[in-house]
Amino acid sequence: MIQDLGKEKADNALYAKVVEFVDTTFKKERQRRHFERTVFWIEKFLPDAGEAERIAAYAHDIERGVEGEKEHDYLNVEILRRHQENGADIIAKFLLKIGADENTVFTVKHLVRRHEVGGDVRQEALKDADSVSYFDMNAEWFVKERVTTQGYEKIKGKFDWMFNRINEERKQFARENYEKWSHELEK
C-alpha cells in the first residue's frame, strides 16, 4: 500500500508538470477549461483511466499551442493527421525530457496520435471526450466570437462534425449542448 501511494504521488507530479507545460503554452482560460473537461470525460468513459490517459486528455491539442492557432480545416484528412502526429511527438518529447517512463510515453503518444479520428477503444474514448468537452466549453465561444470571422457554414460544419464523430452511446452527453449552440448559431 505504501508503494502504491508513492507511485500515485509520482504520477501526480508527472501530470502536474504536463499541466504546467500545456497551460504555459496556451494562455487562454477557455483552452484550459476545455483540457480539464476533456480529462473529466475520459475518466467517465474509461473508468480504469490512468495517468497516461489523463495526460493525453490534457495535452491532446498541444500542437496548436506550440505551432500556433491557425485555421483548421476539420475535414482535411492531411491537416488532421499532421495535427495528431505533431502533437503526439511534441508531448512524447516533453515527457521524455521530464523523465517519464517508457510505457507512459508510449501510451500518451498512442492516444494523442489518433485523438481526432479515433481507432482503438482508448483512442475512441479520447476522441469522444474531446468532442463532448468541446460542446461543454468551446461551442459558445465559436457562436459568439468565431462566427464573425469564419461564418455560419464553417461553424455549423464544425458543430456537426464534432457531434457526428462521437460514439452513439456517448452522444447523449453532448446532445443538449450541441442542440443549444446549434440553435444559437441559427439566430
Side-chain angles (χ1 to χ4, degrees):
M1 180 73 169
I2 293 171
Q3 274 184 313
D4 291 344
L5 289 176
K7 181 177 178 354
E8 184 178 320
K9 197 175 252 185
D11 287 346
N12 288 334
L14 184 64
Y15 179 76
K17 289 178 182 178
V18 170
V19 167
E20 182 180 357
F21 170 60
V22 172
D23 288 354
T24 301
T25 305
F26 288 93
K27 303 295 186 212
K28 296 181 175 92
E29 179 65 25
R30 172 185 57 79
Q31 294 158 322
R32 200 172 2 265
R33 289 191 325 262
H34 168 60
F35 303 142
E36 290 168 353
R37 199 68 176 158
T38 305
V39 172
F40 169 85
W41 286 112
I42 200 150
E43 289 175 334
K44 182 164 183 68
F45 299 155
L46 294 175
D48 67 336
E51 202 64 24
E53 287 82 6
R54 287 189 288 281
I55 288 169
Y58 203 88
H60 69 276
D61 279 337
I62 192 64
E63 181 264 351
R64 291 186 183 142
V66 170
E67 308 271 326
E69 290 273 351
K70 29 186 176 315
E71 290 298 316
H72 293 280
D73 183 350
Y74 49 87
L75 297 179
N76 184 311
V77 176
E78 182 58 26
I79 290 173
L80 287 177
R81 185 192 63 72
R82 270 196 320 266
H83 165 62
Q84 296 174 122
E85 289 182 9
N86 291 346
D89 290 343
I90 291 165
I91 194 60
K93 185 182 288 185
F94 176 76
L95 288 169
L96 288 169
K97 180 178 158 187
I98 63 171
D101 65 88
E102 239 177 76
N103 190 47
T104 299
V105 174
F106 174 83
T107 302
V108 170
K109 190 172 182 177
H110 173 76
L111 292 170
V112 173
R113 187 175 301 275
R114 302 274 301 188
H115 79 273
E116 295 286 3
V117 297
D120 65 27
V121 170
R122 298 182 104 60
Q123 291 166 327
E124 289 287 324
L126 179 55
K127 171 186 59 74
D128 293 351
D130 179 26
S131 282
V132 176
S133 174
Y134 171 83
F135 287 109
D136 286 349
M137 297 291 134
N138 292 347
E140 177 180 13
W141 181 76
F142 272 78
V143 168
K144 293 181 176 179
E145 302 293 328
R146 297 229 46 200
V147 74
T148 56
T149 58
Q150 292 187 358
Y152 167 84
E153 291 297 326
K154 186 148 187 154
I155 302 302
K156 179 64 172 143
K158 171 91 171 171
F159 280 12
D160 292 345
W161 179 76
M162 292 294 283
F163 184 74
N164 290 326
R165 75 181 188 157
I166 302 171
N167 173 292
E168 284 304 316
E169 295 91 47
R170 295 180 182 142
K171 280 186 178 177
Q172 64 179 317
F173 301 109
R175 188 174 312 282
E176 184 179 333
N177 282 326
Y178 166 71
E179 290 172 355
K180 172 185 176 180
W181 294 113
S182 291
H183 177 73
E184 287 294 316
L185 186 60
E186 298 292 328
K187 292 181 178 181

